[in-house]
Amino acid sequence: MTDLPEQAPLAELREFLYSYLEGTPRAVEAARGVSFEVRRGERVGIVGPTQSGKSTVVYALAHLLRLKEGQVFHEGEDVAAAGYDRAALRRSVGVVFQRPDFQILEDVVGKDVAFGPTAAGVPAKETRERVEESLEAVGLSYPEFRLRYVHALSGGQKRRVALAGVLAMRAPLIVLDEPMAGLDPRGRDELFGLFERLREQRNLTMVMCSSSLADASLLCDRLIVLEEGRVAMDAPVREVLAGADRLDALGIALPEPVALARELRKILPDLPTDLLTEEELEEALLERLGESRA
Amino acid sequence: MIEVDGVSFAYRGGESDAVHALRDLDIQIEPGRLVAVIGHNGSGKSTLVKLLTAVLYPTEGGIRVDGVPVRHETRWEIRSRVSVVFQDPDDQLVMNRVADDVAFGPENLGLPREEIAERVESALEAMGIADISEKIVDDLSLGQKQRTAIAGALAMRPRYLILDEPTSLLPAVAATRLIEAARELNRREGMGVIHVTHSMAEAALFDRVIVLDTGRLVMDGPPSEVFRRAEELREIGLDVPLAASLASRLRSHGIPLEGDILTDADLRKSVFALPRSAGDSG
Amino acid sequence: MLELQRNVIFGQFVDTGSPVHRLDVRIKLVATALLVVASFLVDGFLGFALLFPLLVVLQLVSRVPFGYVARGSSFFLFFLGIILVFQVFFYPGEAPQSSVLWQWGFLSISTEGLRFAAILGLRVLLLYHTTTMLMLTTSLVDLTNGLELLFGPLQKLRVPVNELVLVGVISVKFVPIFISEVERLSRAYTARGVPFDEGGPITRARRLGRLLVPVFVGGFRRADLLTTAMDVRCYRGGRGRTKLRRMEAGLTDWLVLLMVVVWVLAAWKLPGLLIA
Ligand SMILES: Nc1ncnc2c1ncn2[C@@H]1O[C@H](COP(=O)(O)OP(=O)(O)OP(=O)(O)O)[C@@H](O)[C@H]1O
Ligand SMILES: Nc1ncnc2c1ncn2[C@@H]1O[C@H](COP(=O)(O)OP(=O)(O)OP(=O)(O)O)[C@@H](O)[C@H]1O
Ligand SMILES: [Mg+2]
Ligand SMILES: [Mg+2]
């Protein structure tokens, strides 16, 4: 076991508070006491309606905000403490921002993907390999896209470049802010597969934010529900989904199969509440409809 | 009527070759229709939108809107008929109060004050944001900003409203509400809506679905027809709505579901209509 | 982390709905212009002392927190401070030997120099505070409409007033865009391994320099998107534009203007009369 009981969680927030534009008339309290931990190898989904503070939490995990001491910890160490090695923290936390334009720094695709590894001092040859591997992993052909200008890409292509840039950093913890927005259906499937592989091969730890449960519930083991800067729920996926009505009221979209099952429950009241995938739903329906025909 | 006639478009590249974003496209859209456009990333959807609003002009072929050819000289005429809302509201809102931003378009048209006021009011009403009309845009949530942007387009009273992935930055609930608002306007005022999306479930709610694949038109028809071709759609990186794919799986297991099934409600109705034996699903 | 948005107020609009916000824009613009003129006319500590309460009243009535304005101006005040120090040391005017307080080589401090720098400082502060308060309390639309009306007569001389005004006002809007661009980029660089919150002042300054090009590229990209968005909404450089908002100056507006006129006149003339 890698996860010894006494080992500190990989990332942890304790009563994390944050206000944007503090001290101005437009100050916004974005996080009002958020606490949770992320253990090694775990995949945690942070879901919540819009403006609930998801992106703020993402920034906090990589220390991209003005943090106060005693609130954000990485491997048990306070990241805001004086003398803490922030450079190392940022090498070990890869962040994919909510919008690709917030993140892409270079004008040419290949250069941008190479930015992280280069800044971390990875040798040129390995950087090149990583760039190729990352671009292919997000479904962009290396020879075709390497020299393309970023501003001349479609919305979905930009998002893929942003993701490739973070993958190339090979960080043990990846934090993704709405990674599926603007991707076509195949892109989504490919990303699911990619994250699955990364976890198996590299024991990657993942935190993923979304305003919809569709993506998070398929990919994550545990869900944290944020509401107005506070944690409203923190539980394994199926447990959270059992409270579908509450999520609905918060304006969090349910995964498609869950929503469909909910609709069908109007006529098949005994359909279980925790059907996550199309296959599970199919099976449950076959059981009921198949036998009703027999 | 929007007529796209043999249109091709290539972005002239810098060092690399030109990117052929659209190839030999023929599309006719009657006024007052609800049309969804789907296609993989980079298939040319946004390019098409820019051609329809005279932001770009075709490399080959021609486009006419209500008989007016889309050219540089006619762009104002075109833009008063076709309004567009892009993906990111932060890049579209010009003024800093909601009502002022919504009024920006009609003011440019040089309309009398009373008419501007009336248009602004009804656009705000239609998007359900009348209560925030005096708020500062910077203080709004993304969903509210997006609605403000759409209200700004509506206030132009266009014959056609084009939405380029307005929902991909929105949570699904807000997205559904937005589409409902668009349908309502279509019903009341006969405004045509052309909606670009990556959500198959959203596309299924429209009268007609146009499918692009690397710049070519590959399918065009009512959703019931388009989503019947599940295999082809998957081949070009797309999918079908969950209810449709589930229905076809159930059918392949011999369950005789009737009718076209595209939405969750369709599936429920078909399941309900199944012949049943006594004492089931108890 | 860089938090520029917190610390720069240029181009911001803070809507507190106060009486200052509700004042007719034209009146507000004329009053501001008067105060700007006053900052050149008034020449003496007494005059500025007379004007000072007006600024205090303005600040209080507008309900824009003073702390916010002060912090947002720290950059500006810092530079002003430096310039004034130079003014003192290199006072160009004639200073009788008796008034020299301190001298070292060609550097000297004289009472004349001090007085000159102090008056200059007060002038700039008055100028800065009134224009800043104008922007903080006036929305872009009001500003546009007001300026267009005031300069409208110039249209007869074929000056493209509408275009110029809107372009000017929109460029005010771009300042916050550029500022948020700097913040956004510094965050992106930091996340990807080039930190902006480490190292000595020199390292930091060098890194900021590195932002220069991308900030402009990013800023112009956003400007370009915004222009396209304006374009598709039929913005043709303000030609033939009509207005939603009506401007009506009521009795209060005129009274406010009268008060400012009297106050400025008092600050300008009274000190002379008192001394005489
Ligand atoms: N740079 C900023 N300046 C000022 N306020 C901000 C900034 N970023 C976020 N906020 C505010 O902080 C609050 C939380 O925002 P945050 O972006 O963390 O929410 P979110 O859950 O990610 O929302 P979304 O789903 O819209 O991305 C919101 O009220 C938002 O308006
Ligand atoms: N300004 C540009 N210069 C050069 N090529 C461009 C430019 N904009 C887009 N392209 C290319 O044109 C093709 C079509 O792009 P478009 O933006 O129309 O796609 P899209 O269907 O909207 O994709 P998405 O779903 O990702 O938004 C893509 O291959 C893209 O890389
Ligand atoms: Mg967010
Ligand atoms: Mg697009």
Side-chain angles (χ1 to χ4, degrees), chain C residues 193-259:
Chain C
V194 177
F196 272 77
D197 52 355
E198 276 170 34
I202 305 221
T203 326
R204 286 191 197 206
R206 259 222 319 273
R207 290 204 168 124
L208 270 180
R210 203 173 153 166
L211 281 186
L212 215 59
V213 174
V215 160
F216 274 88
V217 171
F220 282 119
R221 188 185 50 79
R222 287 188 60 183
D224 191 45
L225 285 172
L226 188 66
T227 328
T228 308
M230 287 168 68
D231 241 30
V232 297
R233 285 163 79 185
C234 290
Y235 175 66
R236 313 180 213 185
R239 229 162 309 139
R241 248 174 87 80
T242 46
K243 303 280 149 52
L244 170 67
R245 300 217 183 246
R246 202 193 304 268
M247 279 177 287
E248 272 161 315
L251 185 62
T252 350
D253 297 296
W254 290 112
L255 284 178
V256 169
L257 187 60
L258 186 67
M259 181 186 84

Side-chain angles (χ1 to χ4, degrees), chain A residues 154-156, chain B residues 45-47 87 164-165 196 198:
Chain A
S154 82
Chain B
K45 304 180 296 297
S46 301
T47 309
Q87 181 174 14
D164 190 0
E165 290 192 46
V196 177
H198 283 299

